Amino acid sequence: MTDATTVLTGDGQPAGPGPRDSYLNHGKGVLSWLFTLDHKRIGIMYLAVILASFFLGGVFAMFIRTELLTPGQTIMTADTYNKMFTLHGAVMIFLFIIPGIPATLGNFVLPLMLGAKDVALPRLNLASFWLWLIGASVAVASIIIGAVDTGWTFYTPYSTTTGTAVVAMTLGAFILGFSSIFTGLNFIVTIHKMRPEGMTWFRMPLFLWGIYSTAIIQVLATPVLGITLLLLIAERTLGVGIFDPALGGDPVLYQHFFWFYSHPAVYIMILPAMAIMSEVISVFSGKHIFGYRFIAWSSIAIALLSFLVWGHHMFTSGQSSLTNMIFSALTFSVAIPSAVKVFNWLATMYKGSIRLAAPMLYALSFLFLFAIGGLTGLFLGSLSTDIHLHDTYFVVAHFHYVMFGGTVIAFLAGIHYWWPKIFGRMYSERWAQVSALLIFVGFNLTFFTQFVMGSHGMPRRYYNYLERFTAYHQASTVGSFILMIGFLIMAGYLLHSLVRGERAPANPWGGATLEWETASPPPYFNFEHEMQAGDPYDLDALSWDPSIKGYVRRDPSSVLAAPRGAD
Amino acid sequence: MTENAHLETDGLAVDHHFENADQQYQSAKLGMWVFLATEILFFGGLFVAYSVYRLNHPEVFIFGHHFLDKSLGALNTVILICSSLTAAWAVRAAQLKQIRMLKGMLLLTMLFAFGFLGVKAVEYNSKWKHGLLWAREYHPHVDHEEASEILITKEDFETGAEEGVVEDVTALQKVGDGVLAETETVLIEEAPAAAPAAEANRSTIAPAAEGPPGLATQGTEESSEKVIEVEPANAQTFFSIYFLMTGLHGIHVLGGIGAFMWLYLSARRGYFSTGHFTRVDMVALYWHVVDLIWIYLFLLLYLIE
Amino acid sequence: MSAHEQSFVHIASVRLLLIVWVALIFGTWLTVSASNVDLGFLNIWIGLAIATGKAVLVALYYMHLRWDKPFNAFVFLSAFFFLFLFIGFAMMDTAQYQIDLIPGYSPGMGG
């Protein structure tokens, strides 16, 4: 019978639960957080502000859905409604989902998975966070001084002529873009230069392949958003006339500029989500991931192919027929690597020992919802059907299924998976299940109805609508309230766990990746020893130890690098 | 011809999360190259705008580039090439711990950078004086005291308000498709003595000579023949693109000056005497990309024919 | 990352720096001269070729890519690849839809 206090992780840290010194209390006071170089603290700060942004975006969503309960005016004027959907989109995309998983879970977990003490460029990491704060402040300020009513896509010529606070919002997004670029840059350098002994590229956890592929897109695509927004600001302030027909410019060119970034951007959103899925599905099926190389290469393929398809957002914009056909054909290619991943995850689950813990509930939701989202993308990518569906609620439903049903659900899976590691606490599994169920039901009620009404012709961004759509809208709004309740419950039990949750062992789930070899929560310095990587999905290397209610490595020395000779 | 040196690790502070100095150096280098890739794509957007407009409206570019002084552009190119030399030399000096040489090279680089901005200021000022600005602010106007090229409205041309400058009103008929739209302006230049009269569809602009910037002077030869080149629709687009591209580039030059100043101050504090040279290397890499971008800007904006 | 390796950093010689400088100045003179000769559509391509030659010299020698890890060059070049993709599609599409523009429909449009 082992004594809980003597059970150790591979790194020699305490494997059992217990109050302890960690990065959380290493250094006190607000300034020690704001000026930290510790990737874990930076990740937590990002988590706080990003979840706050999700809440803010959600508030705008509730305003939208409430207004749409009835045709015509319900609670606001049409002008205000235009601002609501613009702000919902802009906040959710620029403040929440783009930084999303990489800035929070990526920052926290990446160095730990590498057995490293930090990311390669910690000061740049802090700079990224401060840029996020500055950009978000400017964006929020724009909301206060009058908000924006152009839609989050800021299409010209309306965006260059409307009286709303376009410059402020786009300036905020511009600054946020640099935050994203620097985060991606940091992750690329870290993964290239700081892998431990034994961790060749194909022995990396798949979470890192996903984060790496995301970083490629962040670094190559975001600068184009930067120049696009800069040109828009110059257009409004100076009148440079690149996109304004009255001054000799070309508004379709604006759309080319905008979507060259914004299409790859949606893969910035989904790749980290898929990355989380590879970890969670393997661990909670108790099985080695199936098709490791296929999943790894498919992440790179998605990153590269994502740059070839942006025109599918422009089929009805005035883009030439030749270009339309080329982009439609290319769009089908990008579906393939995503499908490859889904098949490999299913194969991982097959004949596995499935544990329906909260992370896995979200993973299963992901598989179902992302499949629907992805498949409906094919209708939109197909030129002929898109002519009918473009700018209808079908599009809105599609992207919510992939961004919310995909990314957000996977984000929740990741939060629940790594929560014990990050905070050293377990949350209430019972309440987590309730919340997951409400979110799943609420989500489908909100958005499936939108597929139907979209294909029946209900346009998106419309304040007023025909009577025959009323029932769909009302069902959708009811769904949104169920969603909201689900999230409020989640906030409740997660916050509660921070003060009253059961203390977590180092490895509550039995994962084989290196972050589980540190205590929960990890010490400031992450690891005592030089770590060595084995197979990140060799789950049989772990065994359950009831005295600590967690898993331990059967052979702790297998993750320690051989001691070095004198240099 | 080339030397190799060991990267000294003795006494070289390495950040706690790195195993050794080489890992730290290579990480910084890779990080900088990734950043430079982002700069290419950032500027690249403006090259997209350039390409699209030049492809579809070449006449706008052929017209507009006359107002750029090729010699000043070439001068700026030479200035930046020299600054790249001094920046690369500064890296060498830092690597060899030649602190005085390093400080000298850093100062020279900044001097060249200021020189570049000075030339640009002269060019911008001339554009401002002639109203040759971006789209909304494009209001070109005449300045008789200056060059022999002038820009006048059709009305003034027809009413002879510019008597003494333009002699042959009938040349108007031979321009373009023979008709000037109501609001079109014409660019009237001195024709070279040997040029045939009023072959106005073909551009017969004399090469830009040394001298005052902006509207290029012809020189001292007078000719009774006037060649009229019609300002195309949307001529202002050229200037929008010109100011966007050179403006953004100029902002990056300013940023570079700031970075070199930081290096210079570090050198004065004795930072480089231990052999840390990475930051000089990184700033120099950035500066070379600024030079590279200008090489293409010079070609694409000033050397259109 | 093993700490056993000795690392070498290449230091450029003064001679090398000056030779490249001379080549760059020459390239500038060449490009200006070429622009004074009317070669029709070739002008732009010759100009781009010379400019690219200069860029390669700067990148290889001043920016040390000649002695660096090849991956750094790969990163830099990949940016150009995606940029050309963007330029290519934008040029193709805008050229294709010029014919759809209604002359005089918008006051400022070329038509």
Side-chain angles (χ1 to χ4, degrees), chain A residues 317-383:
Chain A
S317 66
Q319 188 171 250
S320 66
S321 332
L322 174 63
T323 312
N324 274 352
M325 289 190 282
I326 294 175
F327 275 122
S328 180
L330 287 170
T331 299
F332 286 94
S333 70
V334 78
I336 297 172
S338 302
V340 163
K341 285 182 191 278
V342 172
F343 294 139
N344 279 291
W345 291 322
L346 291 175
T348 303
M349 287 169 57
Y350 181 66
K351 290 199 177 168
S353 170
I354 313 284
R355 280 179 292 163
L356 293 175
M360 193 56 165
L361 291 178
Y362 285 111
L364 294 174
S365 300
F366 175 94
L367 289 174
F368 179 77
L369 299 172
F370 177 72
I372 293 177
L375 289 171
T376 52
L378 293 172
F379 291 92
L380 296 169
S382 172
L383 184 53

Side-chain angles (χ1 to χ4, degrees), chain A residues 484-507:
Chain A
M484 183 181 75
I485 295 171
F487 276 111
L488 290 175
I489 292 176
M490 183 186 300
Y493 69 74
L494 285 179
L495 288 171
H496 177 268
S497 79
L498 290 181
V499 285
R500 302 292 201 109
E502 201 184 311
R503 299 238 180 220
N507 196 347

Side-chain angles (χ1 to χ4, degrees), chain C residues 23-61:
Chain C
L24 292 173
I25 300 291
F26 172 70
T28 307
W29 172 82
L30 194 63
T31 218
V32 174
S33 313
S35 74
N36 289 331
V37 181
D38 184 4
L39 297 161
F41 77 94
L42 272 182
N43 271 111
I44 180 79
W45 295 109
I46 291 175
L48 282 171
I50 299 174
T52 305
K54 287 159 79 177
V56 166
L57 282 176
V58 171
L60 280 180
Y61 294 104

Side-chain angles (χ1 to χ4, degrees), chain A residues 211-225:
Chain A
I211 294 291
Y212 181 74
S213 306
T214 307
I216 293 175
I217 307 178
Q218 281 175 294
V219 154
L220 292 177
T222 318
V224 177
L225 176 73

